Amino acid sequence: MIQPYSWSRKLFVGFNYTLLALLSLLCLLPLVNVFSVSLSSAAAIEAGKVSLWPVDITMKAYEFVARKHEFLISMGISAKRVALGVSINMLLTVLTAYPLSKEAANLRFRTGYAWFFVFTMLFSGGLIPSYMVVRNLHLLDSIWALVLPGALPVFNVILMLNFFRGLPKELSESAFIDGAGHWQTLWRIIVPLSMPSIATVTLFAIVTHWNEWFYGLIYMNDPIHYPLASYLQTIVVRMDMSSISDPSMILLLSQLNDRSVRAAQIFLGMVPVLCVYPFLQRYFMSGMTLGSVKE
Amino acid sequence: MSRRNWRLEWPLHLMLVPGLIIALIFSYGPMVGIVIAFEDFIPVKGIFRSHWVGLEHFKYIYYLSETREVLRNTVFIAFMKIVGGLVAPLITALLLNEIRIKSFKRTVQTIVYMPHFLSWVIMAGILLDVLSPTSGIVNQFLSWLGFDNVFFLGNDQWFPYVLAGTDVLKEFGFGTVVYLAAITAVNPSLYEAAVLDGANRWKQTLNVTIPAIIPITILLTTLALGNVLNAGFDQVFNLYSPSVYSTGDILDTYVYRIGLASAQYGVATAVGLFKSVISLILISLSYLAAYRFANYRIF
């Protein structure tokens, strides 16, 4: 099928490569810029010399962030939240998706159950009633307020159940003939076979919990309980450089440009996502669309 | 297993119990709280002892001048995002499909898809810096080209377009991957037949690729239209400031402002309810359309 390229084809190919390279740069450059700012000296930033390459490389901004208690505490809360939240998410997702992947003939009220869950994606009580439920359960200021309201991600359940359905029925049937029940079939056969899709959904759950900032903001009265995303929201986006009492910190801050401190915090806030992302996208590009968009 | 067998079936019901409880408490629980929209809610009295006011809050909202502005902003911003979110990934996917060097294709895909996984808090942190009127790299570049500085996030003329632009920038990679998956699924023999008929690449794209991805395009657009009242709380909340409320305030941020910031719980819940009901209708209609015309089912 190889044809000699005509001149117009060559022109298009050149144009195409250039355009797509520019598009990628457009997505990448803001990140590079922020990273450079975080590593540059105060003088270079103020002189407007920093664009895509750090000038006078210094780790002072990172040193400052590393000594900031609030930052470290909130990072710890986020880590705890991801560990706890993702475990609960995955357990509930698998437990809910498995029965729903059965035919209506094998599970009474299947359609009813399914709509019960899907309806929660379509309609919600809204901000204030949700807040009141969490408050009445005395979950305010506790990590459970960050974990329980989103404990069952219905979208992920739908992805999982569509994947479960794609597995050959003969596998679970033969397990049943050998005397296995639903629990055994689920844990010994279905789950091990579903690792690619479980990995995808787990990584989704990790990213969601790491990035989620709003629950932290409204359900935590005391900023000391903020997860990192909520903390960054107040410190970076609302630029609320709250009181710093430690004299050595004030000295360090005086040698810094607050842009580079903010940039350092933003960058540290992205690191986990940048780390899991390569794994995530490998799975997604191959098979995720199977679950979300069916032909 | 065609005969219903309770002994075989009950573990399945048991498995559903934790999920049902969570949904009941945290999704259906708040729906009870919607009655706040119809009462003069006083927190110490609680939902059940507060004074009943019927549709007062809805009337109040109806006559409030801000309501129309907020509604207009919401629809305008969402609509721009839907159009941009349709066109940009479609073109990118078609262009990527013409790339023969695999590693280049994969690199571009990976890079443009990445911002989708960053939160709006992070994105806002980056954009606030990059778009800053004095020190931002974008304005440095503009002044290097000889243009005046633009306060992108503080100017109410610019703000809605900045919202649409940055949303497209963050999300177009996601759409690109979906469209590219659809293009990859096209039967290669269709292209071979087209080549035999003398079609060049351009004609192949026009007559094979585009018709093949029209169904998924219609599907995604239909589903996006159902979300027209969701103009993006996370994004707007993290990027806006009082100077751009007039063009940037959307229903969700408005609910937050009047509900939590000025403690008008009844009014805020009424706005929220209005939005939820309209959204439910729109989403149901779009799912119905998607089901009819694209045979799309959620599960």
Side-chain angles (χ1 to χ4, degrees):
Chain A
M1 239 174 62
I2 296 168
Q3 296 160 314
Y5 277 4
S6 63
W7 67 268
S8 63
R9 179 73 191 160
K10 276 182 194 150
L11 194 69
F12 167 75
V13 168
F15 165 81
N16 192 11
Y17 274 90
T18 317
L19 189 70
L20 286 171
L22 284 176
L23 261 180
S24 317
L25 283 180
L26 196 63
C27 290
L28 210 54
L29 291 188
L31 308 190
V32 176
N33 177 237
V34 168
F35 186 58
S36 302
V37 168
S38 77
L39 281 174
S40 297
S41 72
I45 294 171
E46 268 144 42
K49 281 194 279 191
V50 182
S51 51
L52 299 176
W53 204 253
V55 181
D56 290 342
I57 293 182
T58 163
M59 295 296 285
K60 280 221 176 73
Y62 288 94
E63 191 189 327
F64 179 79
V65 174
R67 287 167 58 184
K68 241 171 126 182
H69 285 297
E70 299 92 334
F71 186 88
L72 299 178
I73 292 172
S74 63
M75 204 161 203
I77 294 173
S78 275
K80 197 170 144 195
R81 173 188 186 167
V82 168
L84 189 66
V86 172
S87 316
I88 295 181
N89 279 168
M90 289 317 295
L91 186 69
L92 288 186
T93 304
V94 170
L95 278 184
T96 311
Y98 176 73
L100 292 180
S101 71
K102 300 285 170 200
E103 302 292 323
N106 298 328
L107 177 69
R108 254 165 280 210
F109 321 121
R110 184 195 167 272
T111 318
Y113 284 134
W115 279 109
F116 182 85
F117 290 117
V118 169
F119 187 70
T120 64
M121 294 204 314
L122 306 179
F123 188 79
S124 74
L127 176 64
I128 289 153
S130 301
Y131 175 82
M132 285 172 48
V133 166
V134 172
R135 201 195 55 188
N136 291 341
L137 292 170
H138 301 288
L139 295 179
L140 293 184
D141 278 328
S142 117
I143 190 141
W144 296 106
L146 305 175
V147 167
L148 289 181
L152 182 71
V154 178
F155 181 75
N156 292 357
V157 171
I158 293 171
L159 290 182
M160 282 306 302
L161 87 86
N162 281 330
F163 188 86
F164 286 164
R165 284 191 167 178
L167 297 172
K169 274 209 187 77
E170 291 75 14
L171 281 166
S172 46
E173 276 169 13
S174 67
F176 262 87
I177 290 168
D178 290 344
H182 281 297
W183 292 95
Q184 274 192 312
T185 314
L186 175 58
W187 299 121
R188 310 264 291 268
I189 300 192
I190 305 290
V191 168
L193 282 174
S194 309
M195 279 338 258
S197 106
I198 287 181
T200 310
V201 173
T202 307
L203 290 162
F204 272 149
I206 294 174
V207 172
T208 309
H209 273 293
W210 184 265
N211 279 342
E212 200 287 320
W213 53 279
F214 189 63
Y215 289 165
L217 215 58
I218 58 171
Y219 295 150
M220 301 297 126
N221 293 318
D222 188 344
I224 201 73
H225 299 303
Y226 279 178
L228 188 62
S230 310
Y231 172 76
L232 288 179
Q233 208 276 333
T234 53
I235 214 81
V236 174
V237 178
R238 283 198 248 153
M239 299 197 198
D240 161 24
M241 284 281 182
S242 52
S243 61
I244 292 163
S245 46
D246 185 352
S248 69
M249 294 280 276
I250 295 173
L251 187 69
L252 188 55
L253 189 60
S254 68
Q255 305 163 356
L256 282 167
N257 185 302
D258 64 339
R259 265 182 79 196
S260 65
V261 178
R262 254 184 284 136
Q265 299 184 97
I266 292 170
F267 188 75
L268 290 175
M270 314 195 256
V271 164
V273 174
L274 294 183
C275 290
V276 296
Y277 174 68
F279 303 98
L280 183 81
Q281 59 108 22
R282 189 165 57 107
Y283 284 117
F284 183 91
M285 303 219 176
S286 55
M288 233 290 299
T289 42
L290 286 175
S292 62
V293 185
K294 288 187 297 177
E295 288 294 311
Chain B
M1 279 213 296
S2 63
R3 219 196 64 199
R4 287 176 187 275
N5 186 337
W6 180 242
R7 252 167 48 78
L8 268 177
E9 204 184 299
W10 75 264
L12 293 176
H13 295 268
L14 194 67
M15 286 177 192
L16 286 169
V17 168
L20 290 173
I21 291 174
I22 289 289
L24 204 59
I25 296 175
F26 291 103
S27 298
Y28 289 90
M31 291 181 203
V32 179
I34 284 173
V35 292
I36 294 172
F38 303 97
E39 53 188 32
D40 180 21
F41 179 68
I42 295 164
V44 283
K45 283 193 184 168
I47 297 179
F48 300 106
R49 275 177 296 163
S50 288
H51 181 55
W52 189 258
V53 295
L55 294 174
E56 275 312 303
H57 295 315
F58 291 92
K59 280 185 200 149
Y60 173 75
I61 297 162
Y62 185 79
Y63 290 111
L64 213 62
S65 62
E66 276 171 36
T67 312
R68 261 151 250 224
E69 199 174 86
V70 169
L71 198 58
R72 202 169 49 229
N73 293 344
T74 309
V75 173
F76 180 60
I77 292 168
F79 193 71
M80 278 198 297
K81 286 182 181 176
I82 291 171
V83 173
L86 168 73
V87 176
L90 202 55
I91 293 175
T92 316
L94 288 174
L95 290 178
L96 265 177
N97 188 42
E98 298 299 316
I99 297 290
R100 290 283 155 262
I101 303 173
K102 279 252 168 62
S103 59
F104 182 84
K105 190 172 168 180
R106 210 167 31 235
T107 311
V108 172
Q109 252 180 296
T110 308
I111 293 172
V112 297
Y113 187 27
M114 184 183 56
H116 173 74
F117 291 96
L118 299 175
S119 71
W120 270 114
V121 171
I122 297 286
M123 284 298 282
I126 295 172
L127 290 171
L128 286 168
D129 193 80
V130 167
L131 296 177
S132 148
T134 49
S135 53
I137 188 174
V138 174
N139 271 312
Q140 282 178 27
F141 183 67
L142 282 181
S143 61
W144 181 71
L145 287 179
F147 290 103
D148 286 337
N149 279 9
V150 181
F151 192 2
F152 291 99
L153 294 169
N155 179 318
D156 58 358
Q157 300 291 310
W158 276 93
F159 192 69
Y161 302 101
V162 174
L163 287 180
T166 53
D167 183 71
V168 170
L169 188 66
K170 186 172 181 297
E171 301 298 339
F172 84 95
F174 176 81
T176 301
V177 171
V178 175
Y179 287 119
L180 212 52
I183 293 175
T184 320
V186 177
N187 188 345
S189 61
L190 289 175
Y191 290 106
E192 282 158 24
V195 172
L196 286 182
D197 289 341
N200 57 22
R201 288 297 305 183
W202 170 241
K203 283 272 164 64
Q204 290 171 38
T205 304
L206 212 60
N207 296 313
V208 180
T209 315
I210 290 181
I213 56 174
I214 278 181
I216 193 163
T217 310
I218 294 175
L219 173 66
L220 292 181
T221 312
T222 319
L223 296 182
L225 283 174
N227 267 322
V228 79
L229 287 192
N230 278 329
F233 175 82
D234 281 21
Q235 181 195 18
V236 179
F237 188 78
N238 283 309
L239 286 176
Y240 82 163
S241 56
S243 57
V244 293
Y245 279 169
S246 61
T247 56
D249 220 357
I250 58 171
L251 277 168
D252 288 320
T253 52
Y254 187 61
V255 170
Y256 183 85
R257 282 205 298 123
I258 62 173
L260 290 187
S262 33
Q264 300 187 55
Y265 302 111
V267 176
T269 309
V271 180
L273 178 61
F274 166 77
K275 189 207 139 186
S276 296
V277 170
I278 305 275
S279 289
L280 178 64
I281 294 170
L282 289 175
I283 293 172
S284 305
L285 285 176
S286 66
Y287 274 122
L288 200 67
Y291 178 67
R292 276 278 163 78
F293 301 116
N295 201 20
Y296 174 81
R297 278 169 304 149
I298 327 174
F299 52 84

